[in-house]
Amino acid sequence: MVRHVSMASLKLMLLFFILSFLDFNTCKAQEQSTDPVFLYHSCSGGNTTANSAYQLNLGTLLSSLSSNASTEFSNNTVGTSSSDRVYGLFMCRGDVPSTLCHQCVFNATRRLRSECSLAKQAVIWYDECTVRYSNRSFFSTVDIRPRIALLNTANISNQESFMTLLFRTINTTADEAANFPMGVKKYATKEATISGFQSLYCLAQCTPDLSPRDCRSCLSGVIGDLPWCCQGKQGGRVLYPSCNVRYELYPFYRQATPAPSPSPSPPLLPPPTSANSQGGGGISAGTIVANLVPISVALLLLIVGICFLSRRARKKPGSVMEGKNVDDITTVESLQFGFSTIEAATNNFSADNKLGEGGFGEVFKGTLPSGQEIAVKRLSKSSRQGGEEFKNEVVVVAKLQHRNLVRLLGFCLQGEEKILVYEYVPNKSLDYTLFDREKQSELDWRRRYKIIQGTARGIQYLHEDSRLRIIHRDLKASNILLDSDMNPKISDFGMARIFGVDQTQGNTDRIVGTYGYMAPEYAMHGEFSVKSDVYSFGVLLLEIISGKKNSSFYQTDGVEDLLSYAWLLWKDGTPLELMDPTLRESYDQNKIIRSIHIGLLCVQEDPEYRPTMATIVLMLASNSVTLPTPKRPAFFIHRGTDATMPKGQQFDQSMTISLPMTINEVSITEMDPR
Ligand SMILES: *[C@@H]1O[C@H](CO)[C@@H](O)[C@H](O)[C@H]1NC(C)=O
Ligand SMILES: *[C@@H]1O[C@H](CO)[C@@H](O)[C@H](O)[C@H]1NC(C)=O
Ligand SMILES: *[C@@H]1O[C@H](CO)[C@@H](O)[C@H](O)[C@H]1NC(C)=O
Ligand SMILES: *[C@@H]1O[C@H](CO)[C@@H](O)[C@H](O)[C@H]1NC(C)=O
Ligand SMILES: *[C@@H]1O[C@H](CO)[C@@H](O)[C@H](O)[C@H]1NC(C)=O
Ligand SMILES: *[C@@H]1O[C@H](CO)[C@@H](O)[C@H](O)[C@H]1NC(C)=O
Ligand SMILES: *[C@@H]1O[C@H](CO)[C@@H](O)[C@H](O)[C@H]1NC(C)=O
């Protein structure tokens, strides 16, 4: 017992220790550790011969850099004679945690070894790090070649004022980054309000070996290239070997945590640079900024709590276990309830005990002799499943255990009667509160975000983590139950199996979905896949934000469904208008816009463009995951001039990370001496 307690407190301390290094948004992302994102590499300087002294030194240098990557920057020199000496350095982006930095440098050096195996000089850019080497001493000097630019191909409206704001903001970001003394991390980010609902995020960084002056002049160079590459675009970046800048309309870097950090600072770390807000916004902008701080503190606490509880939940004996361990103990016998037990528990299926009626039959509340409360689903007689198959499927589905799934406790089989027994979840289903004018204010933004994230995790588990790939096929607000802490629990999963609908083929003659949530390919052709669940999740997400039902949506200006409405607002740059007005007191602007963005990605017409649940979980957990630009959702009703556009052209925007392009119209590889 003593050991148990001390382990728990040790874990708690460890958790706080880890969290103190991280942006609070990344607790989930960290568990899943994102891969570094490769951007571009360039080899130059002519070929060396294999196994030459230079080659050997290069090998030593790269492995020393890679093993040194617990810091954010390191330079090194290997070789005694000037003819075979190799100089190298790496730099990680200022907000990247050290594990990811290490991973990035590791991957980058490996890639350099294979891609630039014989080159005398090379530079490689990742989202998270830059690594370079040369036969020439380049420390403390500004290198502006080679250079690359990447742009977000989405156009900005109101170009002129945007570019003015961009240059003003990015110049101050550059000033701040450059002003750190030599040897100290030269990194700064800034946020500026474009209007009440949109912000501009800028980042500038130099290698720390530069002097403030050199850094600023390097940054002036990259900034000077921005109009060249990225005029009128929603995002762009220019990368030189010695410095780089980037801007986007969404936060693409980890923002400084507002909570004081008790962790010791790594030697090169300057005082945390906070993302400052500046620039003129509307009236509401002031309120939003004022609200942001307490909300982020609350969010921090919430997320610490969720992380902590989730870790504990996994360990706590007798609590919901996840996956494998359960297999051994789940047998038909352990799951079978006697009919008399169920009758007694539900007071003979009395009308007073009836909780509701779903697609598969009536649901009753019951209490077992032990006092445990249960929900009893009496399947309608149309089930095609034979008794044995039914039992087998119940055993399979009962093994699916996750804290965001309603737990299937067992079944009862008596003649024609087929009954499923579930844990009882006290706070009814989400639609009961969400779509009720009186009650919807109980769901503040914090709770809604928790429901969104939990639901996403539950579906992810069904799709990927359980050994069976379960497609829910009927995700909707009435299938999301809320427990006493308003945690979401998905119900009715696996029903297609239990009810006897063929799950093995991605095509079925029996459609179990609900109008308004069904992906078009499912509704029209009966084709289901994990991506049709993603579609339903997207609808649900937009409903949670708007507090409006997709299926009974009427807007005075003739927009016929929630998705079209969300899309039109998004296109007009006013996504916040989608928000349920009762959220005004509690919302987090960036998170809401980002959630709407994710929702729109989920409801894309082409299933290929919809993200997977795993990606969605990451996108929700971390602001650093780049979101592609959404296209028009399925079922979009054309309006006005749009209708005359050929399908697919008007909104055909490519992904956020676009092809690297070189300035000067010369591709980098062609700049290599031949
Ligand atoms: C790490 O870098 C420092 C100085 O940059 C150097 O002295 C040290 O040898 C390096 N460590 C390894 C393991 O290469
Ligand atoms: C790292 O760079 C500095 C100059 O910025 C230089 O003085 C030092 O010798 C370099 N360290 C190594 C190990 O090359
Ligand atoms: C680098 O990362 C990519 C993507 O994560 C992976 O496919 C590749 O195998 C990694 N390479 C090395 C050398 O680690
Ligand atoms: C580096 O290599 C290039 C190409 O072989 C050569 O022209 C240059 O002189 C070398 N630089 C130094 C400092 O050795
Ligand atoms: C920003 O800096 C660039 C180059 O450093 C300069 O040309 C430009 O006028 C500056 N813009 C503003 C708005 O300060
Ligand atoms: C952006 O605008 C340019 C010219 O104004 C146009 O050619 C291009 O198609 C637009 N791109 C998108 C994605 O709308
Ligand atoms: C260098 O090596 C690469 C790959 O082996 C080859 O394609 C290229 O032509 C070589 N360049 C020179 C200048 O020898």
Side-chain angles (χ1 to χ4, degrees), residues 35-36 106-107 110-111 126:
D35 285 331
F106 180 80
N107 198 298
R110 293 277 289 271
R111 204 184 279 258
Y126 279 65

Side-chain angles (χ1 to χ4, degrees), residues 61 73-78 86-89 137-141 182-183 208-210:
L61 174 84
F73 169 81
S74 176
N75 63 338
N76 210 348
T77 313
V78 175
V86 194
Y87 303 83
L89 67 73
S137 171
F138 59 83
F139 303 139
S140 302
T141 60
M182 194 159 160
D209 58 330
L210 298 184

Side-chain angles (χ1 to χ4, degrees), residues 176 189-191 256 271-277:
E176 189 177 311
T189 59
K190 285 240 183 291
E191 184 183 337
T273 50
S274 61
N276 297 330
S277 250

Side-chain angles (χ1 to χ4, degrees), residues 154-271:
N155 287 336
I156 192 89
S157 49
N158 212 344
Q159 257 197 53
E160 218 161 283
S161 64
F162 176 76
M163 291 313 269
T164 310
L165 176 68
L166 172 63
F167 283 111
R168 201 174 64 213
T169 314
I170 212 150
N171 277 1
T172 51
T173 316
D175 288 339
E176 189 177 311
N179 275 337
F180 290 107
M182 194 159 160
V184 170
K185 178 166 81 172
K186 290 188 169 52
Y187 166 82
T189 59
K190 285 240 183 291
E191 184 183 337
T193 306
I194 298 171
S195 63
F197 57 87
Q198 257 187 339
S199 294
L200 167 70
Y201 299 85
C202 295
L203 176 155
Q205 188 169 17
C206 296
T207 57
D209 58 330
L210 298 184
S211 68
R213 241 183 101 161
D214 287 344
C215 173
R216 191 63 183 87
S217 80
C218 183
L219 289 172
S220 296
V222 281
I223 293 171
D225 284 343
L226 275 179
W228 209 99
C229 80
C230 310
Q231 179 77 36
K233 298 298 172 190
Q234 286 190 4
R237 43 182 147 170
V238 177
L239 300 124
Y240 287 0
S242 293
C243 68
N244 61 73
V245 294
R246 181 176 181 188
Y247 73 92
E248 300 285 353
L249 296 190
Y250 58 89
F252 55 92
Y253 46 81
R254 290 163 185 76
Q255 281 153 306
T257 313
S261 160
S263 65
S265 295
L268 287 183
L269 198 71

Side-chain angles (χ1 to χ4, degrees), residues 153-155 233 652-653:
T153 52
N155 287 336
K233 298 298 172 190
D652 198 295
Q653 298 172 345

